[in-house]
Amino acid sequence: MLWRANSLRLGGSSETESAHSAQGRGRKRNSALSLLDPWPFPSLLPSCRLASGTATSGTAPTAVIGSWASTLLQDKELEEIKKETGFSHSQIIPLYSRFTSLDKGENGTLSREDFQRIPELAINPLGDRIINAFFSEGEDQVNFRGFMRTLVHFQPIEDNEKRKDVNGPEPLNSRSNKLRFAFRLYDLDKDDTISCDELLQVLRMMVGENISDEQLGSITDRTIQEADQDGDSAISFTEFVKVLEKVDVEQKMSIWFLH
Amino acid sequence: MEGADLAVKVLSTWLTLVVGLIVLPSAFGLSLGISEFYMKILVKTLEWATLRIEKGAPNESVLKNSASVGIIQRDESPMEKGLSGLRGRVFELSDVFYFSKKGLEAIVEDEVTQRFSSEELVSWNLLTRTNVNFQYISPKLTMVWVLGVLIRYCFLLPLRIKNWLSELVHLTCCRICVRSLSGTIHYHNKQYRPQKGGICVANHTSPIDVLILTTDGCYAMVGQVHGGLMGIIQRAMVKACPHVWFERSEMKDRHLVTKRLREHVADKKKLPILIFPEGTCINNTSVMMFKKGSFEIGGTIYPVAIKYNPQFGDAFWNSSKYGMVSYLLRIMTSWAIVCDVWYMPPMTREEGEDAVQFANRVKSAIAVQGGLTELPWDGGLKRAKVKDTFKEEQQKNYSKMIVGNGSPNLELD
């Protein structure tokens, strides 16, 4: 008799300490009595149904199982993400695994510090802007749904053939939405235009201290002049799209997910 | 009470068995071949378990590949190619694409952070703690897993605790300790074993590395004075061989450290020093940056590569996550510790080679021998943030591309 349960990730992060220290930051030490071999098949325990992303509370034994289970990806959520983003089952699981490994606080959400801990991202000149793209206005935590919704912008476009839905909303990884992602990297104040100042600031991030203000100013002015069509000395999204119409956005803004 | 009597009888027979089969032969250095037999059975069981899992999940066989292949196919093109231009090209609005793609790739899968957590196994080895993405398959598998837990906790663990406690007292019985961990260690190229007056460098995965190397030779250890359990062990070890222990504050004074080490090396009668230049435990899939300190001392370097077989138990100590006791418990409830140790021919610093280049050369040799990936990143990234200089380097590269030392592409109004 074969049946499948929730997929889960157990590994270093599954063995958690008791509830009152589950929110600890920095060095987390597991007590010697923490569960070394939790029951590997969670669906057999009815008490395990907790939504992912909720913090845990409670007395010791249930707290151990509970906080462990809170890192589970519920079937229902998996299906919703599948529908929303178009990732396949076998792509979502390793991405969830990655999400939990970045989540050092083990509360089902990522903060900006969690992203900054990735060295290759920390040395990226636009690292901060990219991290910002994950967080919505005023929020400083992103859950797995939000994480996937941002990642999906980089899904290659041909995958859309599988879920052709003419009447539905435009898929998140369409050319237009990819360009919108890039536009938002420039648009610091989210007012749907790239002003001269904003372009200057982003350029400054990319070049560091290696180019003088005057040179950078010239580059900015030239760029805006070339792109601006309605004479407002700023780049709107339509103008942005026009400038980049010859660029192979699909290839440059796509990440090839395996499987 | 009969129940109690029976329990006592069982316990005493079990203890005599233990003494007879484990402790005595170890004391005399004999082997009854039980370890080897145990390993054979273990391998067969794990193979069976893997087959069951594969049969039970035909569509998900791709999961098997995910652990070894990765989540995404990374685009390794350097900045010049990624920005599709030669030197002296101008800034374009599409330049941001390259950086954002690189950033997202790093978020999904990066080379460094995965080294500081346990390696993911391709097939499950019936230890829940290494269970990544494996699903419930059949009652039989559950039964085997339950049996495994029983064996590991009720049989292997008490065995090992008892042996390990006695080992603390009689430190010279290193063999008991290794045997108690069901350690199968293969030493290769014993002719290159580190000699007196040399420095032995190895890649670092866990405190057990020390145990494994000392089983086959005596070393002087360079390390930090620890408190707690480790401290007790350390102090006991000092009595056996002359070691060089440093306070953490002394470690900061590099000249002092180098001076003391130089003195030790110069004395040809002193035991070879054992150093782990990575500075921290890495998860045994890669070798990270070797700190140049040990390579400035001079003297002969004897590189050693240590590779654990993750199938039988994960030896990696994630010190930011687990304390010492928790780690030891995990080790003692694993199936076994199986590893390969390769001694390599000695290396010395060549003319015109500075310490950093020499360190990299040794690191490459160890990585190649052990079949590990070589990374230029610092193991200190486990705890510390990456230095700003790397970011500045990226910025510099980009600037050169769009300006190129005042090229004519720049229009000045």
Side-chain angles (χ1 to χ4, degrees):
Chain A
M1 185 173 70
L2 302 165
W3 55 279
R4 282 177 20 185
N6 286 336
S7 311
L8 54 98
R9 179 191 180 257
L10 292 174
S13 66
S14 66
E15 288 131 11
T16 55
E17 27 192 353
S18 54
H20 61 262
S21 42
Q23 300 295 326
R25 298 170 59 103
R27 284 171 72 91
K28 275 185 54 149
R29 291 291 185 103
N30 286 328
S31 68
L33 301 176
S34 66
L35 231 47
L36 296 169
D37 275 295
W39 178 252
F41 310 120
S43 290
L44 296 181
L45 285 175
S47 58
C48 275
R49 291 293 190 185
L50 285 181
S52 63
T54 54
T56 60
S57 58
T59 53
T62 47
V64 174
I65 298 180
S67 51
W68 164 64
S70 73
T71 61
L72 284 183
L73 189 61
Q74 296 275 68
D75 253 344
K76 183 160 149 282
E77 206 175 324
L78 198 97
E79 290 302 318
E80 280 173 24
I81 294 179
K82 230 163 129 170
K83 236 189 286 174
E84 204 180 330
T85 61
F87 280 116
S88 72
H89 192 94
S90 56
Q91 287 171 335
I92 297 180
I93 305 297
L95 285 171
Y96 184 69
S97 201
R98 174 67 174 170
F99 180 84
T100 36
S101 72
L102 291 174
D103 180 13
K104 292 281 185 257
E106 285 179 15
N107 51 2
T109 58
L110 294 179
S111 65
R112 286 193 167 82
E113 285 81 27
D114 288 322
F115 283 104
Q116 273 153 3
R117 230 177 265 121
I118 305 172
E120 289 174 40
L121 187 64
I123 67 170
N124 189 318
L126 288 180
D128 287 329
R129 293 301 302 153
I130 296 169
I131 294 174
N132 215 51
F134 281 87
F135 296 88
S136 5
E137 195 66 50
E139 297 276 316
D140 57 359
Q141 299 282 332
V142 60
N143 62 10
F144 184 58
R145 270 274 186 81
F147 181 73
M148 293 301 277
R149 268 199 218 111
T150 315
L151 275 185
V152 81
H153 284 104
F154 282 78
Q155 215 181 28
I157 290 182
E158 50 271 10
D159 284 6
N160 274 347
E161 300 307 312
K162 284 189 238 145
R163 22 168 246 130
K164 259 274 166 22
D165 187 4
V166 192
N167 297 329
E170 199 185 354
L172 281 164
N173 64 333
S174 67
R175 186 195 160 88
S176 171
N177 277 325
K178 283 185 199 277
L179 285 169
R180 194 169 282 282
F181 183 86
F183 186 79
R184 275 192 237 125
L185 287 176
Y186 285 111
D187 186 10
L188 297 168
D189 57 4
K190 298 196 179 116
D191 64 352
D192 271 340
T193 47
I194 305 176
S195 70
C196 198
D197 209 30
E198 286 171 343
L199 189 59
L200 196 72
Q201 281 186 50
V202 175
L203 259 173
R204 178 56 71 194
M205 281 186 222
M206 290 204 266
V207 304
E209 303 297 325
N210 299 292
I211 297 184
S212 69
D213 280 333
E214 295 90 42
Q215 271 184 326
L216 218 58
S218 320
I219 296 175
T220 319
D221 288 334
R222 181 188 55 84
T223 314
I224 297 219
Q225 250 175 6
E226 281 176 0
D228 190 18
Q229 283 167 349
D230 57 5
D232 59 354
S233 302
I235 306 179
S236 70
F237 182 60
T238 349
E239 290 163 353
F240 187 73
V241 173
K242 186 93 185 23
V243 171
L244 296 171
E245 64 186 349
K246 295 216 184 62
V247 175
D248 185 6
V249 175
E250 289 82 356
Q251 198 263 328
K252 284 182 182 240
M253 291 274 280
S254 292
I255 297 178
W256 270 262
F257 292 92
L258 297 171
H259 338 299
Chain B
M1 287 196 305
E2 282 180 13
D5 274 342
L6 187 60
V8 168
K9 269 212 189 101
V10 169
L11 202 62
S12 51
T13 33
W14 180 77
L15 271 174
T16 30
L17 263 178
V18 164
V19 172
L21 291 177
I22 305 287
V23 178
L24 282 181
S26 300
F28 293 114
L30 294 173
S31 165
L32 288 176
I34 292 186
S35 285
E36 287 78 17
F37 180 62
Y38 166 66
M39 298 298 269
K40 278 207 201 98
I41 301 239
L42 196 56
V43 169
K44 285 235 166 60
T45 319
L46 291 179
E47 276 170 9
W48 174 84
T50 316
L51 280 172
R52 293 272 345 162
I53 292 176
E54 276 179 21
K55 264 196 272 179
N59 298 334
E60 305 298 334
S61 58
V62 285
L63 281 172
K64 201 171 153 205
N65 295 328
S66 69
S68 46
V69 175
I71 307 177
I72 55 175
Q73 189 180 327
R74 291 200 76 159
D75 190 358
E76 299 290 351
S77 54
M79 208 188 277
E80 288 78 17
K81 188 154 168 280
L83 289 169
S84 69
L86 311 151
R87 279 198 62 171
R89 65 183 274 295
V90 295
F91 164 72
E92 284 175 31
L93 284 169
S94 56
D95 283 351
V96 76
F97 292 171
Y98 172 78
F99 289 112
S100 59
K101 180 172 170 179
K102 281 259 157 263
L104 263 290
E105 278 180 349
I107 289 176
V108 173
E109 190 174 56
D110 79 305
E111 276 294 314
V112 184
T113 52
Q114 53 165 296
R115 308 294 172 190
F116 299 133
S117 62
S118 305
E119 194 181 348
E120 288 188 11
L121 288 181
V122 173
S123 62
W124 192 30
N125 65 349
L126 291 178
L127 291 173
T128 312
R129 60 190 82 125
T130 53
N131 184 350
V132 184
N133 305 329
F134 290 109
Q135 302 150 331
Y136 180 86
I137 299 296
S138 72
K140 265 199 208 151
L141 195 60
T142 322
M143 282 298 300
V144 176
W145 179 81
V146 169
L147 196 64
V149 170
L150 280 172
I151 293 179
R152 284 190 292 120
Y153 280 89
C154 305
F155 183 65
L156 294 177
L157 177 62
L159 213 62
R160 289 166 178 172
I161 287 186
K162 186 205 168 293
N163 290 339
W164 180 74
L165 282 174
S166 67
E167 196 261 335
L168 260 186
V169 178
H170 311 286
L171 237 197
T172 43
C173 307
C174 255
R175 279 202 204 106
I176 293 183
C177 199
V178 169
R179 197 150 302 199
S180 77
L181 294 176
S182 302
T184 313
I185 309 171
H186 299 288
Y187 295 97
H188 305 267
N189 304 333
K190 282 204 186 175
Q191 69 269 23
Y192 295 127
R193 204 182 297 171
Q195 307 293 326
K196 291 203 167 113
I199 303 175
C200 176
V201 304
N203 58 318
H204 199 31
T205 305
S206 86
I208 297 184
D209 291 345
V210 173
L211 215 67
I212 286 174
L213 287 175
T214 44
T215 320
D216 198 43
C218 222
Y219 296 91
M221 235 76 71
V222 177
Q224 288 158 0
V225 173
H226 282 99
L229 200 55
M230 278 295 287
I232 301 176
I233 299 177
Q234 273 185 345
R235 280 192 283 281
M237 284 165 91
V238 165
K239 299 203 183 96
C241 308
H243 291 97
V244 191
W245 293 119
F246 290 92
E247 299 282 339
R248 238 203 178 98
S249 51
E250 278 182 303
M251 295 286 281
K252 299 230 169 82
D253 185 354
R254 290 203 20 220
H255 296 292
L256 182 71
V257 169
T258 321
K259 187 161 139 315
R260 269 172 76 177
L261 289 176
R262 273 219 185 95
E263 283 165 9
H264 189 104
V265 167
D267 187 350
K268 289 298 171 189
K269 287 200 284 294
K270 290 253 171 73
L271 298 166
I273 304 180
L274 179 58
I275 294 182
F276 295 106
E278 282 164 317
T280 188
C281 292
I282 313 288
N283 77 343
N284 207 232
T285 56
S286 68
V287 181
M288 293 194 134
M289 187 180 93
F290 273 12
K291 298 205 177 2
K292 63 178 171 129
S294 12
F295 299 91
E296 287 173 330
I297 300 169
T300 339
I301 303 278
Y302 295 91
V304 177
I306 306 176
K307 177 89 179 92
Y308 291 87
N309 187 340
Q311 188 77 11
F312 296 103
D314 176 30
F316 169 56
W317 182 28
N318 191 345
S319 50
S320 46
K321 229 184 160 74
Y322 303 109
M324 188 59 181
V325 183
S326 179
Y327 169 70
L328 279 175
L329 271 175
R330 281 162 62 94
I331 291 290
M332 294 214 208
T333 54
S334 319
W335 294 117
I337 301 291
V338 178
C339 76
D340 288 291
V341 177
W342 287 277
Y343 293 110
M344 291 157 63
M347 296 168 116
T348 38
R349 198 158 82 173
E350 283 166 13
E351 287 293 321
E353 195 182 37
D354 71 355
V356 175
Q357 289 166 334
F358 182 39
N360 282 335
R361 194 159 62 93
V362 176
K363 184 180 82 165
S364 301
I366 291 184
V368 165
Q369 180 65 273
L372 306 162
T373 331
E374 207 189 318
L375 290 179
W377 297 95
D378 185 354
L381 289 172
K382 195 185 198 179
R383 298 199 177 87
K385 281 212 162 91
V386 68
K387 288 207 205 104
D388 279 334
T389 42
F390 294 105
K391 187 171 184 174
E392 283 156 22
E393 214 179 294
Q394 293 261 313
Q395 287 170 330
K396 204 154 157 203
N397 279 344
Y398 180 64
S399 318
K400 279 212 204 97
M401 287 196 61
I402 66 173
V403 172
N405 304 329
S407 74
N409 286 327
L410 203 55
E411 288 163 29
L412 294 161
D413 279 344

